[in-house]
């Protein structure tokens, strides 16, 4: 308790003293979650406190626009108990958040408030919530391989340090299990996880698994469950990325996991439609899809500090439609994608990575020619097996008709055993490469 009081007093002593007049406004209307406030012309992104007449209830709102001289705000919580003509006061610095290494080992929400039962997080470094825009030449090239700890990825879709990779799948195919394996087994100085729009139970389980033991010292979690306001969900993904940028500026290699990019797009769509922006591609306003691009582009290598953010973004394919606007936009901006197959999951094959449909655009630059040749050969065998599996099961294929298919059928067992991996198992880059070469040499 004394240490907490000491940290609080230290933060207050560093806070700038404002002797100017305190501005305030009044609520004029509240419709569909959109709050209109008069008398408070503050910048977009400003957080405000809304008090009732007695001052007993407080709400937090964020300015998302303005119209006819009135500020448009959206609550970070529910509109329950909100009263007309309530007093609204701005607080904090618009567009800035406080970050520090104290977030390691902690789980917080989109406003940096603890959700793990611990005390307030002591943070004093201010960082732009939307990031610091850099020139294209400020980003260093991806030249080093990234160890994800997952054998199928390390061997057949090798990632690079500073790459942005997507995990595309429908619901219930194993995205959460795969990111859990990567968060546990990847080589990184810091792991920042943004759980945006997920079920509260999954958030609780993830925090319990990763904020215990030695792993907690390098992990920070920002979680905003699905039942929270859309602007809080959007703020959560931006805050997680800002944390990753802070550690990258210190020269550290950061793994940023965002689950999921689709929920981020849904939150941006709700806000855009609320402010009157018309829907375009399947109901997604242009600004909602642009939010994905801006968020993903913040990851990557920093030429000035030598730090890196390796981004891993899950993308939910609604109805298993891989041509969904969010999936298509993410696939176009990311440096590669892993497609999870519902058919493989139904067979009990995990991780259910559809190898022929998955690729890493960085792989050619970070692996040896020997591994590249072996991975391409295995990809071809997997494609031949899957393409002719139904014919073989029906008895319509005769052995000897196609030597490539015969070899694919003969090697299916060893390849399937190579690709399958238990949740708690970890496979390093060197081990994955050696096992890949061994499987392909044994099949020759």
């Amino acid at each position: 308790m004394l240490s907490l009081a000491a940290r609080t007093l230290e933060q207050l002593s560093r806070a700038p003293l404002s002797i100017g007049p305190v501005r305030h406004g009044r609520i004029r209307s509240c419709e569909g979650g959109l709050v209109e406030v008069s008398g408070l012309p503050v910048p977009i992104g400003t957080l405000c406190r809304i008090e009732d007449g007695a001052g007993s209830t407080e709400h937090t709102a964020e300015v998302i626009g303005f119209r006819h001289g009135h500020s448009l705000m959206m609550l970070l919580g529910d509109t329950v108990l909100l009263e007309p003509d309530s007093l609204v006061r701005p607080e904090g610095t618009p567009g800035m958040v406080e970050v520090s290494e104290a977030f390691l080992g902690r789980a917080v929400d989109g406003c940096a408030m603890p959700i793990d039962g611990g005390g307030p997080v002591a943070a004093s470094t201010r960082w732009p919530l939307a990031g610091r825009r850099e020139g294209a030449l400020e980003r260093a090239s991806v030249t080093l391989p990234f160890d994800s700890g997952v054998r199928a990825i390390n061997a057949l879709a090798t990632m690079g340090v500073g790459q942005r990779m997507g995990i595309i799948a429908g619901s219930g195919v194993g995205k959460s299990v795969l990111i859990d394996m990567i968060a546990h087994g990847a080589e990184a100085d810091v792991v920042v996880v943004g759980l945006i729009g997920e079920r509260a139970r999954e958030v609780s389980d993830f925090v319990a698994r990763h904020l215990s033991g030695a792993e907690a010292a390098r992990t920070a979690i920002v979680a905003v469950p699905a039942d929270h306001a859309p602007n809080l969900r959007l703020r959560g993904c931006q805050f997680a990325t800002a944390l990753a940028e802070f550690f990258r500026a210190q020269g550290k290699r950061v793994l940023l996991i965002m689950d999921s990019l689709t929920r981020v797009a849904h939150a941006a769509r709700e806000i855009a439609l609320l402010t009157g922006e018309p829907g375009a591609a399947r109901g997604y306003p242009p600004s909602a899809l642009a939010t994905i691009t801006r968020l993903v582009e913040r990851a990557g290598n920093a030429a000035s500090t030598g730090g890196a953010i390796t981004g891993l973004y899950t993308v939910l394919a609604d109805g298993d439609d891989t041509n969904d606007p969010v999936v298509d936009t993410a696939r176009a901006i990311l440096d590669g994608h892993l497609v999870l197959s519902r058919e493989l999951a139904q067979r009990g094959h995990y991780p259910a990575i559809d190898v022929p449909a998955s690729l890493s655009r960085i792989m050619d630059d970070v692996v040896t020619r020997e591994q590249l040749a072996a991975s391409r050969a295995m990809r071809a065998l997997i494609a031949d097996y899957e393409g002719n599996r139904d014919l073989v099961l029906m008895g319509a294929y005769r052995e000897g008709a196609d030597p490539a298919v015969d070899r694919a059928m003969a090697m299916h067992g060893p390849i399937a055993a190579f690709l399958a991996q238990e949740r708690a198992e970890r496979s390093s880059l060197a081990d994955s490469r050696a096992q890949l070469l061994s499987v392909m040499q044994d099949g020759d």
Side-chain angles (χ1 to χ4, degrees):
M1 182 62 71
L2 292 177
S3 62
L4 175 60
R7 289 198 303 268
T8 304
L9 291 174
E10 183 182 357
Q11 290 178 357
L12 291 175
S13 66
R14 291 195 301 263
L17 179 62
S18 176
I19 58 176
V22 178
R23 294 178 295 177
H24 67 271
R26 296 284 181 177
I27 291 181
R28 293 301 174 226
S29 68
C30 176
E31 183 178 357
L34 189 65
V35 179
E36 190 170 339
V37 177
S38 65
L40 191 62
V42 290
I44 292 176
T46 303
L47 290 181
C48 299
R49 290 286 182 183
I50 303 176
E51 301 177 359
D52 64 5
S56 59
T57 304
E58 282 192 349
H59 304 269
T60 303
E62 181 181 10
V63 180
I64 61 174
F66 45 84
R67 179 189 302 150
H68 305 308
H70 289 182
S71 296
L72 303 179
M73 302 183 184
M74 177 176 283
L75 291 178
L76 297 181
D78 298 324
T79 58
V80 179
L81 301 180
L82 192 65
E83 299 179 359
D85 207 37
S86 295
L87 191 67
V88 184
R89 299 182 185 274
E91 66 173 18
T93 305
M96 303 295 289
V97 291
E98 291 188 345
V99 295
S100 76
E101 294 186 355
F103 283 97
L104 294 178
R106 301 300 303 273
V108 299
D109 64 9
C111 291
M113 300 302 294
I115 61 173
D116 55 5
V121 180
S124 56
T125 303
R126 290 187 175 180
W127 197 271
L129 182 63
R132 295 172 179 169
R133 188 181 297 274
E134 298 177 341
L137 298 183
E138 291 294 326
R139 294 295 172 83
S141 301
V142 179
T143 57
L144 299 175
F146 176 80
D147 191 347
S148 67
V150 179
R151 186 163 46 245
I153 299 175
N154 285 344
L156 303 177
T158 311
M159 296 174 60
V161 176
Q163 181 178 356
R164 291 83 53 88
M165 179 72 85
I167 300 178
I168 302 173
S171 58
V173 185
K175 296 187 302 300
S176 298
V177 174
L178 182 56
I179 66 170
D180 194 76
M181 294 172 64
I182 296 175
H184 175 71
E187 282 193 3
D189 298 326
V190 175
V191 179
V192 179
V193 183
L195 302 176
I196 311 301
E198 296 301 312
R199 294 181 291 272
R201 179 193 58 79
E202 287 189 352
V203 172
S204 178
D205 292 346
F206 193 94
V207 170
R209 287 194 302 269
H210 293 274
L211 292 188
S212 60
E215 189 177 341
R218 68 166 190 168
T219 306
I221 299 176
V222 181
V224 185
D227 60 340
H228 287 59
N231 53 336
L232 186 58
R233 281 179 267 150
L234 194 57
R235 192 177 183 87
C237 72
Q238 293 175 328
F239 180 64
T241 308
L243 265 180
E245 289 174 327
F246 166 74
F247 289 112
R248 178 179 63 184
Q250 297 180 336
K252 296 183 178 180
R253 293 184 179 180
V254 183
L255 171 62
L256 172 62
I257 299 177
M258 193 67 65
D259 185 22
S260 74
L261 208 59
T262 304
R263 308 299 188 194
V264 174
H266 288 175
R269 177 178 61 183
E270 290 182 48
I271 296 174
L273 293 177
L274 196 61
T275 55
E277 186 177 350
R282 296 193 188 180
Y284 286 96
S287 64
L289 298 180
T291 300
I292 297 176
T293 302
R294 289 195 299 268
L295 192 66
V296 170
E297 277 298 301
R298 293 170 64 179
N301 293 329
S304 56
T305 65
I309 298 177
T310 304
L312 190 67
Y313 303 88
T314 67
V315 186
L316 177 63
D318 291 331
D320 291 344
D321 182 9
T322 56
N323 293 318
D324 179 83
V326 177
V327 176
D328 202 39
T329 301
R331 191 165 42 205
I333 194 64
L334 291 168
D335 301 320
H337 54 271
L338 304 170
V339 179
L340 302 189
S341 167
R342 188 174 298 278
E343 185 177 353
L344 288 176
Q346 290 172 346
R347 295 182 205 165
H349 179 99
Y350 290 99
I353 299 175
D354 187 347
V355 172
S358 305
L359 63 89
S360 169
R361 296 173 181 171
I362 305 297
M363 183 173 179
D364 290 9
D365 301 324
V366 297
V367 301
T368 63
R369 292 185 177 180
E370 186 180 22
Q371 180 182 346
L372 192 60
S375 67
R376 288 175 176 173
M378 181 173 284
R379 280 175 170 272
L381 290 173
I382 296 172
D384 286 338
Y385 174 83
E386 294 295 337
N388 294 275
R389 181 173 179 271
D390 291 341
L391 293 177
V392 173
L393 292 177
M394 291 187 300
Y397 175 81
R398 292 184 179 181
E399 187 176 356
D402 188 336
V405 177
D406 291 342
R407 184 167 182 249
M409 297 299 170
M411 292 191 63
H412 171 65
I415 290 176
F418 169 78
L419 295 177
Q421 185 172 337
E422 294 295 330
R423 185 170 187 164
E425 181 185 356
R426 186 186 184 279
S427 181
S428 67
L429 273 170
D431 291 341
S432 302
R433 184 186 305 115
Q435 292 181 46
L436 168 67
L437 298 177
S438 175
V439 170
M440 295 309 295
Q441 288 171 0
D442 292 342
D444 290 338

